[in-house]
Amino acid sequence: MEDQDIRKAGLKVTAPRVKILELLEKSPERHVSAEDVYKMLLAANEDIGLATVYRVLTQFESAGLVEKRHFEDGYSVFELSRGSHHDHIVCITCGRVQEFVDDTIEKRQQIIANDLGFQISDHELVIYGKCLDENCRHKKAK
């Protein structure tokens, strides 16, 4: 399936592109940094450099295969484009990113836009907080 996705995006099928797209599709984490992808490649004994990972992810973003999310402190992650809108909540302690959809928030945003004389063309909601899981597997080593 990866080959087809890459071709449909107008990109040439190369081994690094296939491997990276495969990792993104199989990863239990939906939001990964370029460094995370690089570490996954190393763990899989793939010889693909960090510069190539950045280049491929940028190409995937331009082609619409992935979306890049910019979070606080310059923290950026990539997620596969799945065509459905969702918002994010980000832990400022461990960096965990959780997706959510809330119809009440979506309706309220539309009301606010209408009241202020705007038509929404796109939007992104990111909430920052601290996760309450004492045993969070995402916590960064100190």
Side-chain angles (χ1 to χ4, degrees):
M1 186 67 167
E2 292 88 16
D3 291 6
Q4 272 185 320
D5 294 335
I6 293 169
R7 276 194 197 93
K8 278 199 305 193
L11 298 170
K12 183 179 172 187
V13 176
T14 64
R17 288 179 182 151
V18 170
K19 290 291 181 189
I20 291 170
L21 186 57
E22 186 178 279
L23 279 176
L24 292 172
E25 289 178 340
K26 292 180 179 174
S27 173
E29 300 296 327
R30 285 189 40 111
H31 305 89
V32 293
S33 68
E35 291 82 7
D36 293 333
V37 172
Y38 178 66
K39 289 175 188 171
M40 288 188 277
L41 288 165
L42 287 176
N45 293 316
E46 295 293 340
D47 187 25
I48 299 173
L50 183 57
T52 300
V53 171
Y54 274 104
R55 186 172 53 256
V56 168
L57 289 172
T58 300
Q59 292 166 345
F60 283 178
E61 180 187 13
S62 295
L65 288 173
V66 300
E67 294 177 26
K68 185 176 186 178
R69 305 286 182 199
H70 303 280
F71 297 127
E72 196 173 83
D73 296 332
Y75 179 62
S76 297
V77 295
F78 295 86
E79 65 179 297
L80 287 173
S81 297
R82 302 202 193 267
S84 60
H85 173 76
H86 57 270
D87 297 307
H88 298 92
I89 189 164
V90 180
C91 179
I92 59 173
T93 303
C94 70
R96 180 170 63 105
V97 178
Q98 185 69 47
E99 295 176 359
F100 69 94
V101 175
D102 186 290
D103 290 337
T104 302
I105 290 174
E106 296 303 317
K107 288 175 188 168
R108 188 69 192 128
Q109 290 174 125
Q110 188 59 57
I111 291 167
I112 291 167
N114 290 341
D115 289 349
L116 296 173
F118 282 82
Q119 179 180 9
I120 297 174
S121 58
D122 193 15
H123 79 280
E124 194 173 319
L125 174 65
V126 180
I127 299 172
Y128 295 94
K130 292 183 179 181
C131 70
L132 301 175
D133 183 358
E134 290 295 323
N135 299 314
C136 178
R137 65 184 175 89
H138 297 278
K139 287 213 184 337
K140 294 176 176 98
K142 294 184 180 177

